[in-house]
Amino acid sequence: EAGVAQSPRYKIIEKRQSVAFWCNPISGHATLYWYQQILGQGPKLLIQFQNNGVVDDSQLPKDRFSAERLKGVDSTLKIQPAKLEDSAVYLCASSTTGQGNTETQYFGPGTRLLVL
Amino acid sequence: SQELEQSPQSLIVQEGKNLTINCTSSKTLYGLYWYKQKYGEGLIFLMMLQKGGEEKSHEKITAKLDEKKQQSSLHITASQPSHAGIYLCGAPTSGTYKYIFGTGTRLKVLA
């Protein structure tokens, strides 16, 4: 079974530029998550999708971050314009239903973003 | 808000030594996950604990959940260089399906 795919793996941009990350979850997984992990910290949930609907985006900086999952499968996370403090690893994860507190989330390899 | 605190923050051990990493929650745990992460990469699922007193093992890694103490421990027996990485605990927050994570424990194993 293929895991969660993410691209690109690395990205370097200058501040005020825009950037987009792509994620393809495990086939059949209804729930998709985007996390931001700043160096030395644990991952922080940015947004959670259930199929193509948003379940939770309370920690997404909506003035500059946006995400979509139009067909309920793959997803794109965008930052526009980027700030220095956005430098982090962006992790995508998926789970089967997103319900139940014992459901395992499976993570992709992450996209490492450096904003100069 | 609920928080997960991991200890120690970093650990350097000689190959072959045993070690323990702890994860303590500020609120009741409704499940606890352990992940391993290589620097700058994704998280690899290790194991999930659901019930108080539950203990699971995978190869040389054993994890236990103490619900009363709101704590989980991860124990590695006879550590190897391949065990090196960042170990993260994660848990669903009370009343939600949202995960929170600890800040991680960085393990280095000297050959």
Side-chain angles (χ1 to χ4, degrees):
Chain A
E1 178 183 79
V4 177
Q6 288 188 248
S7 67
R9 291 294 313 277
Y10 307 93
K11 191 74 178 178
I12 301 175
I13 62 173
E14 295 186 349
K15 60 183 180 183
R16 292 188 288 273
Q17 285 187 325
S18 61
V19 65
F21 313 128
W22 175 82
C23 172
N24 194 23
I26 292 173
S27 177
H29 280 195
T31 309
L32 185 148
Y33 313 79
W34 282 104
Y35 288 86
Q36 179 193 59
Q37 185 180 22
I38 293 171
L39 187 64
Q41 300 181 16
K44 181 185 81 171
L45 180 68
L46 292 176
I47 188 167
Q48 177 181 342
F49 290 96
Q50 183 75 14
N51 296 309
N52 59 353
V54 175
V55 173
D56 187 335
D57 63 357
S58 57
Q59 297 188 100
L60 186 74
K62 299 180 186 62
D63 58 334
R64 298 183 300 105
F65 286 65
S66 64
E68 58 184 15
R69 193 185 184 199
L70 293 175
K71 296 182 180 178
V73 181
D74 56 349
S75 174
T76 303
L77 176 70
K78 296 180 181 177
I79 307 175
Q80 182 179 11
K83 292 186 176 181
L84 297 177
E85 57 261 36
D86 298 332
S87 294
V89 176
Y90 290 85
L91 297 163
C92 179
S94 70
S95 63
T96 50
T97 67
Q99 299 177 18
N101 54 26
T102 57
E103 187 171 276
T104 301
Q105 294 184 19
Y106 296 93
F107 285 78
T111 295
R112 197 165 164 192
L113 174 67
L114 179 61
V115 182
L116 302 175
Chain B
S1 61
Q2 187 174 4
E3 294 182 349
L4 296 177
E5 183 176 339
Q6 287 187 237
S7 63
Q9 289 186 343
S10 62
L11 196 53
I12 302 174
V13 299
Q14 201 68 38
E15 183 177 3
K17 295 293 185 183
N18 302 337
L19 63 104
T20 299
I21 298 168
N22 292 307
C23 175
T24 303
S25 174
S26 59
K27 295 186 179 181
T28 302
L29 285 168
Y30 295 95
L32 194 287
Y33 296 78
W34 283 101
Y35 289 88
K36 180 184 175 184
Q37 184 179 32
K38 292 288 188 182
Y39 176 71
E41 298 187 3
L43 279 63
I44 300 169
F45 171 71
L46 293 176
M47 55 191 83
M48 172 188 70
L49 304 165
Q50 293 178 242
K51 304 174 186 175
E54 186 173 13
E55 179 175 323
K56 286 188 176 178
S57 294
H58 176 68
E59 297 179 343
K60 294 185 178 180
I61 301 176
T62 301
K64 300 178 185 179
L65 179 62
D66 186 333
E67 261 184 359
K68 289 182 181 179
K69 291 184 179 179
Q70 298 176 176
Q71 184 179 68
S72 177
S73 61
L74 184 85
H75 185 78
I76 299 177
T77 303
S79 58
Q80 300 170 355
S82 60
H83 287 128
I86 301 169
Y87 289 82
L88 286 155
C89 61
T93 54
S94 173
T96 77
Y97 307 122
K98 187 187 302 185
Y99 267 49
I100 56 170
F101 286 88
T103 54
T105 295
R106 282 152 185 78
L107 172 63
K108 187 171 183 178
V109 180
L110 302 176

